[in-house]
Amino acid sequence: MYDIIIVGAGPAGLTSALYARRASKKVLVLEAKSYGGQILNANKVENYPGIELIRGVDFAKNLYNQVIKHGAEIKFETVLHVDEDKVVTTNKDKYQAKAIIIATGAQNRKLNIENENEFLGKGISYCATCDGNFYKNKIVMVNGGGNTALEDALYLSEIAKKVYLIHRRDSFRGENAYLEELKKKPNVELILNSKIISVNGKENLESVTLCDKEENETEIIIDGLFIAIGQEPKNEIFNNIVDLDEKGYILSDDGVHTKTEGIYVAGDTREKLLRQLTTAVSDGSIAATVAIKEMK
Ligand code: NAP
């Protein structure tokens, strides 16, 4: 019997684990892939108060080590089901807890066009910092208008010969500071009001076809396409214990309670105003604190 089981080892889940361990609770963190979550993809984190600049991967490593040092148990297993009585079934075992914190983050959104999956790892990537180095002096395209796309384009402009940044609207969702920096880069070209309608090639990606507002189609030869069009949650497995909004995010209150007693939610997978590192760790600390306070 654990006091708290945390599903997900991103910044929100690991922060919950840290807070719970500091209160001497018996904690299990279950993670399907690797610890760190989306922050692993951030080349530079410059907006975490008190830390001027850190690589996402270093932030994740530091947090993971801190949590382990405080005695949390982490198992790399995929959660398949959580029931109202706080029994968690994974692909390997079953665990019982007094409280559960769901901190499963969100997954990369796909363009959902033909051959997108086929070219994955053969010219298509969702992570510039992971795969950017394969494109030294090559031609790449970043798709998206948020901070991730802007940061990816900046990062790739230091590696690739040419970077196209394509966005479906004429204004960006991401911060102006990044955009201003991008505009100074001679090898970056912005393509606005356009979307990718097909990805083309034989074995590997060779080009994309774009369509603009006037329905004009253009083919652009590229070696790599980095898709950075946001994230979406995957909360179907929690349908029995939480309510979801229309986009699939888990509904909760300021105390991060879900509709089921003893089940809490933290981080990007929650319906909320701002999904950032700061708000993820904030949720994580609230979830553990409230769970401990209400534990029976
Ligand atoms: P995001 O802010 O949700 O932006 C997604 C972008 O992709 C939007 O510009 C959106 O266009 C576009 N998009 C969505 N679906 C699309 C589709 N099917 N086809 C074409 N374009 C599509 O996602 P994000 O950039 O990954 O950022 C996620 C969160 O992390 C944000 O809160 C962001 O601020 C934060 N973040 C922060 C930092 C940082 O501060 N250093 C770095 C990275 C991310 P529209 O604008 O037209 O909707």
Side-chain angles (χ1 to χ4, degrees), residues 47 145 147-148 151 168-169 173 178 229 231 275-276:
N47 58 358
N147 275 332
T148 304
E151 278 193 348
R168 64 182 177 185
R169 291 189 295 130
R173 192 179 283 268
Y178 293 129
I229 58 168
Q231 290 79 34
R275 292 190 176 85
Q276 297 222 329

Side-chain angles (χ1 to χ4, degrees), residues 66-170:
Q66 190 179 9
V67 167
I68 294 294
K69 197 173 141 196
H70 278 87
E73 195 180 334
I74 301 194
K75 291 184 190 235
F76 291 92
E77 299 179 18
T78 304
V79 171
L80 304 175
H81 186 77
V82 178
D83 72 23
E84 269 184 40
D85 297 329
K86 285 117 202 141
V87 175
V88 181
T89 308
T90 72
N91 57 333
K92 296 196 178 147
D93 219 332
K94 265 183 199 263
Y95 306 96
Q96 171 81 61
K98 294 178 190 161
I100 308 276
I101 297 172
I102 300 172
T104 44
Q107 282 73 37
N108 293 318
R109 181 175 291 127
K110 299 204 164 195
L111 284 170
N112 287 325
I113 54 176
E114 212 183 328
N115 294 330
E116 184 176 4
N117 290 335
E118 281 68 19
F119 288 130
L120 192 59
K122 295 176 182 170
I124 291 188
S125 167
Y126 296 86
C127 177
T129 50
C130 318
D131 300 327
N133 264 326
F134 297 125
Y135 296 92
K136 259 186 196 135
N137 296 320
K138 297 201 166 177
I139 303 171
V140 297
M141 179 177 281
V142 176
N143 187 195
N147 275 332
T148 304
L150 299 183
E151 278 193 348
D152 285 358
L154 272 174
Y155 176 72
L156 291 164
S157 71
E158 301 294 323
I159 298 169
K161 180 166 69 184
K162 166 100 188 175
V163 180
Y164 294 101
L165 174 61
I166 169 181
H167 178 38
R168 64 182 177 185
R169 291 189 295 130
D170 62 355

